[in-house]
Amino acid sequence: MFSFKSTKDKNISSYQHHTPETRVPELNPAIYGLSLDENVKSGYSLNDLAEQLRLIYCGPTAIEFMHINNMEERQWLAQNFENIIAEELRKEEIVRIGNLMLKCENFDRFLATKFPTLKRYGAEGAESMFAFFSELFEGSAEKSVEQIIIGIAHRGRLNLLTQLMEFPPVHMFRKIKGRTEFPETADASGDVLSHLVSSFDYKGAEGNVHVTMLPNPSHLEAVNPVAMGKARARAWSMSKGDYSPDERSARTGDGVLNVLVHGDGAFSGQGVVWESIALSQAPHFRLGGTVHLVTNNQIAFTAESSVGRSSTHCTDIAKAFEYPVIHVNGDHPEEVVKATRLALAYRERFRKDVFVNLVCFRRWGHNELDDPTFTSPVMYKEVESRESVPRLFLDRMIDEGLTTEEAVKEELKNHTEQLNNELKKVDSTPPVDISHRGSWEGFKQAPKAIESWDTGVATDLLRFIGAGSVKVPEDFDTHKHLYKMHIDSRLSKMQSGEGIDWATAEAMAFGSILLEGNDVRISGQDVGRGTFCHRHAMMVDQSTDQIHIPLNELVEGQKNQLEVANNLLSEEAILGFEWGFSSENPRRLCVWEAQFGDFFNGAQIIIDTFVASAESKWLTSSGLTMLLPHGFDGAGPEHSSCRMERFLQNCDSREDQSPVDGENVNMRVANPTTSAQYFHLLRRQVVPNYRKPLIVVGPKILLRHPKAASRIDEFGPGTTYRNVISEDVANAGKIKKVIFVSGKHWIAVEKSRDERGLKDSVAIVRVEMLCPFPVVDLQAVFKKYPAAQEFVWSQEEPRNAGAWSFVRPRFENALGVRLKYAGRKELAWTATAIGEQHTKEAEEVINQTFA
């Protein structure tokens, strides 16, 4: 066993000899009204005890846990902290850490030499983070962890990939030289060097563990909830933890470990951090503890801690959730190993989050081309005077006889030679397609043509599912209102096959998906009941609060399940979580519903950097479905619009429609107007052998509107989603005017047309799919009405909102049709909250439509 000597002076004999800077008031007996010389045990004074505590808790490793209310946790942490920091590392452990940090430092220097203008965001100054990862991988295998999901930003990422995660350096060098990371056959654009990923099997002494690093955007900390969602989804795929059939012995967090690596500046400043940690113990989101590493450079982009936060430590947010924080000096890699061991042991024992605050420094500026002395001259005078962490560690190893300078030089020589050999292979090494592996085996990218999939289901089965969706146990105390308005009503609809509303269609879609061997998860604020009290996918016993989900008991021994995840009041973290969840397994329908469509903008970062662009950047597929309630009914600026224009702007649909849109658009945007259409949309998310995010401009009044209800035959075999719905007109050749609409606005337009007696000359066409833009379906419409002379786009949204800006150039370019606009004028807000004004505007829209 070997132990390095501490660089701190351990010969200070009494508290009063400390300088003010090193004094810890809590360890001064005088502040408790006690004498420094008072004996507590034969031969020992309180001052001696305080000194012993100082040596334990004020060295290179410290811990905060007194904010935790649970006494068992506090006692466990105190005892295990004192035991673990007293341990000595084995010779082979020290040598492994030394060699690993040596290679990491050499890798940074190699890149600096070969690519001097490269922004590599190296690990220099924080190399001891690799002592954390080395111990993390080895220790996880010892604790029967089978899967590790890592979310990490750019600092030290390249080192971790190549030195520990078996990412071939030649592929990194290809990327640095401007080559694509994907084969030419892939429909993708790629991302920057510091967002590369790897997935590999770590072979430890006590077993193997599969490690996956997730792609991340440059929005720091945005990957946190994504990694959390993927980790929980992985547990479902493995039937572990909360998804284990063995409820008695299973514990949340079994088999899967989530690891998040943060920077001190972003961790203190980004709101998604708070939102994500707030999910950590919530039902349907908990992971059984995430291990957090904060790479604490003591500086953000240029802001030092004095201006970068309002708290003492960058990790102080952890205290609000009663999670322990282990602070460790990055100059002591062996102490980082011990801190990691304690973190893993705590997580294994209590299944809660734990934080390791690695106090280190950043050798260069925000990147290697940045000069930090502009803004932090004093700090960087100190940094420039310091030897590197690996060099100091190796010197201590040499002093202890664990290695020699000759051995260090030989290791450097061999590593540099290996890197040079990899660099020479750049021109002869093709990129490797790493997409659609594992649970995605057999899936592919979407085709460039438009496809139609039969998403219908046998009507007898649908009746069975519909009836089963409201079945409750005999002793279940059901809410009286639900008996008549929900249970009896649905049973009646199943019997008649008429008037099937939105919620019933959704239940039939979910149930059929489950019985076909797929899981379903729906998440959102009060999604169990539904914002508009329409869904009731989960029922609550009025006497016991017990929850019953009928769709999980359709058949005896049902394997696939519906998870109804009512969640906290968050958008960014929740949507990130759900996107991560959806990316883990394609045989699972994942749905996120906004309380109102307007509220999605709290998650705009996730939409821009993951939902809309992940496949193009990283070849990461997702079938996430977003339900965004939308409709202008006088509810005001924040309860009317899901801002469909923003999603349409985020689509990669070609404005010139040359070629026309195919299934390979980055995401689908639909505005269904009937329950059957909604049913087919949901089923289409799981039937094809490819996945795309789906944005559903969801209804409010259509949830119960008779015109939105469907007959059961509209769900039957051979039926599918209709991208365009054109009326059945007896004398189509006499139609002079065609009004195109999207969404529930068609009801108002149809009512006004019929009242005006224009049914024989005016046709209404509903554009149900906006992206991919349905050129072929619309061409059929124009052939249907050969005598039409006037074409109007009518919408209830303002002119600078809704679908107008998206459809107008596509009608002109692909169909040769110049549309007239009818709708609200441009507005800085989405909708008025004044009833009279709303009514007046609605009348003006109708008048424009028929002008």
Side-chain angles (χ1 to χ4, degrees), residues 30-144:
I31 70 170
Y32 305 104
L34 301 172
S35 168
L36 295 174
D37 299 321
E38 185 174 335
N39 288 334
V40 293
K41 199 173 182 180
S42 57
Y44 290 92
S45 67
L46 281 174
N47 193 56
D48 294 329
L49 177 59
E51 176 63 12
Q52 184 63 27
L53 291 172
R54 183 188 72 82
L55 294 175
I56 295 173
Y57 287 97
C58 303
T61 307
I63 186 169
E64 291 183 280
F65 61 84
M66 293 303 290
H67 54 278
I68 299 175
N69 286 320
N70 187 299
M71 185 58 69
E72 179 189 359
E73 288 185 45
R74 283 161 58 176
Q75 291 175 338
W76 186 95
L77 284 164
Q79 180 179 349
N80 284 271
F81 176 78
E82 294 174 12
N83 291 340
I84 286 178
I85 66 167
E87 291 179 357
E88 297 177 342
L89 300 190
R90 299 191 306 273
K91 173 183 176 180
E92 56 268 27
E93 292 174 325
I94 293 175
V95 171
R96 184 179 74 228
I97 295 168
N99 287 340
L100 178 59
M101 292 197 301
L102 176 67
K103 291 179 180 179
C104 288
E105 181 181 51
N106 190 52
F107 180 75
D108 274 323
R109 292 180 175 176
F110 182 87
L111 293 181
T113 301
K114 300 294 183 179
F115 309 100
T117 61
L118 176 68
K119 297 178 181 179
R120 64 184 186 276
Y121 304 102
E124 292 155 296
E127 288 94 345
S128 56
M129 70 190 297
F130 297 100
F132 167 87
F133 284 114
S134 177
E135 181 61 29
L136 177 82
F137 295 167
E138 190 65 37
S140 296
E142 294 173 1
K143 291 177 170 54
S144 300

Side-chain angles (χ1 to χ4, degrees), residues 601-850:
N601 55 10
Q604 192 68 57
I605 288 174
I606 301 298
I607 293 165
D608 290 344
T609 59
F610 288 98
V611 178
S613 58
E615 185 174 6
S616 178
K617 292 187 294 187
W618 313 313
L619 277 182
T620 302
S621 295
S622 162
L624 178 65
T625 298
M626 294 174 60
L627 304 181
L628 306 176
H630 173 95
F632 284 61
D633 46 23
E638 278 81 50
H639 296 83
S640 299
S641 175
C642 74
R643 297 278 193 177
M644 73 175 81
E645 65 275 5
R646 294 187 181 176
F647 292 96
L648 293 171
Q649 187 183 43
N650 259 345
C651 291
D652 60 3
S653 165
R654 293 186 59 135
E655 186 172 297
D656 61 6
Q657 286 295 292
S658 178
V660 298
D661 287 343
E663 301 294 346
N664 62 326
V665 291
N666 62 326
M667 57 185 180
R668 300 163 61 83
V669 181
N671 197 353
T673 57
T674 71
S675 61
Q677 286 283 84
Y678 177 51
F679 169 89
H680 291 297
L681 267 183
L682 293 176
R683 286 189 46 78
R684 200 183 190 283
Q685 285 298 91
V686 295
V687 170
N689 59 345
Y690 51 84
R691 294 289 178 265
K692 288 289 181 178
L694 170 65
I695 313 303
V696 180
V697 181
K700 291 186 289 183
I701 69 165
L702 292 188
L703 293 173
R704 296 180 176 88
H705 201 290
K707 277 193 161 294
S710 302
R711 303 181 313 276
I712 199 164
D713 61 280
E714 296 178 75
F715 303 83
T719 57
T720 187
Y721 189 80
R722 294 187 288 169
N723 295 326
V724 173
I725 297 179
S726 179
E727 296 176 299
D728 292 326
V729 180
N731 298 308
K734 295 182 179 181
I735 295 296
K736 302 298 182 182
K737 180 175 183 176
V738 179
I739 301 171
F740 294 91
V741 298
S742 188
K744 63 102 171 172
H745 182 52
W746 75 274
I747 296 176
V749 173
E750 183 185 74
K751 180 175 182 290
S752 180
R753 179 199 63 180
D754 295 350
E755 290 175 347
R756 295 168 187 244
L758 300 174
K759 192 172 183 178
D760 293 334
S761 61
V762 176
I764 300 171
V765 176
R766 288 175 265 165
V767 181
E768 304 272 302
M769 180 64 69
L770 293 166
C771 184
F773 189 65
V775 171
V776 174
D777 298 273
L778 288 169
Q779 287 173 338
V781 168
F782 288 107
K783 290 180 181 179
K784 181 177 180 179
Y785 303 119
Q789 300 292 318
E790 186 180 359
F791 304 99
V792 177
W793 179 266
S794 182
Q795 64 177 41
E796 57 182 356
E797 298 85 6
R799 190 181 185 114
N800 58 333
W804 169 245
S805 296
F806 182 84
V807 301
R808 179 184 179 183
R810 287 162 178 79
F811 267 88
E812 292 183 4
N813 296 329
L815 302 166
V817 175
R818 191 173 184 87
L819 294 172
K820 294 181 180 180
Y821 172 79
R824 284 174 168 83
K825 66 179 182 180
E826 293 84 351
L827 291 175
W829 61 98
T830 56
T832 181
I834 302 171
E836 291 183 356
Q837 180 65 23
H838 167 76
T839 302
K840 181 181 178 181
E841 289 177 356
E843 291 174 353
E844 289 177 353
V845 171
I846 293 298
N847 290 333
Q848 290 177 34
T849 302
F850 293 97

Side-chain angles (χ1 to χ4, degrees), residues 450-561:
I450 291 291
E451 294 185 340
S452 178
W453 290 79
D454 182 355
T455 47
V457 176
T459 54
D460 286 345
L461 179 58
L462 291 176
R463 284 190 164 95
F464 170 80
I465 294 170
S469 70
V470 290
K471 186 177 181 180
V472 295
E474 290 183 4
D475 60 347
F476 194 84
D477 188 4
T478 306
H479 195 288
K480 294 179 180 180
H481 178 76
L482 293 183
Y483 266 121
K484 179 180 180 180
M485 304 305 295
H486 181 63
I487 297 176
D488 291 346
S489 173
R490 183 166 297 179
L491 291 175
S492 176
K493 291 168 185 173
M494 290 299 96
Q495 189 172 15
S496 68
E498 300 286 340
I500 297 174
D501 62 1
W502 215 269
T504 303
E506 180 183 81
M508 294 194 304
F510 285 175
S512 63
I513 290 169
L514 293 171
L515 295 181
E516 289 172 354
N518 304 282
D519 294 311
V520 179
R521 174 181 166 96
I522 182 168
S523 167
Q525 294 156 18
D526 195 29
V527 292
R529 187 199 74 168
T531 298
F532 307 101
C533 205
H534 69 287
R535 179 173 290 119
H536 299 290
M538 51 173 274
M539 299 187 198
V540 182
D541 189 295
Q542 298 300 295
S543 300
T544 65
D545 268 357
Q546 179 184 354
I547 291 175
H548 174 65
I549 301 177
L551 284 174
N552 285 339
E553 299 181 17
L554 290 173
V555 295
E556 187 175 351
Q558 184 172 319
K559 180 179 178 181
N560 297 93
Q561 297 286 293

Side-chain angles (χ1 to χ4, degrees), residues 24 33 48 89 102 116 159 179 222 231 245 257 277 322 350 354 360 367 378 499 590 660 804:
V24 180
D48 294 329
L89 300 190
L102 176 67
N159 310 67
R179 315 287 175 82
L257 173 63
I277 301 175
E322 298 188 33
F350 295 102
V354 58
C360 53
N367 60 70
V378 175
C590 294
V660 298
W804 169 245

Side-chain angles (χ1 to χ4, degrees), residues 224 267 270-279 316-318 320-321 568 573:
N224 296 354
F267 191 75
Q270 292 293 308
V272 70
V273 173
W274 178 280
E275 291 185 29
S276 299
I277 301 175
L279 290 174
D316 281 347
I317 187 176
F321 298 91
L568 53 83

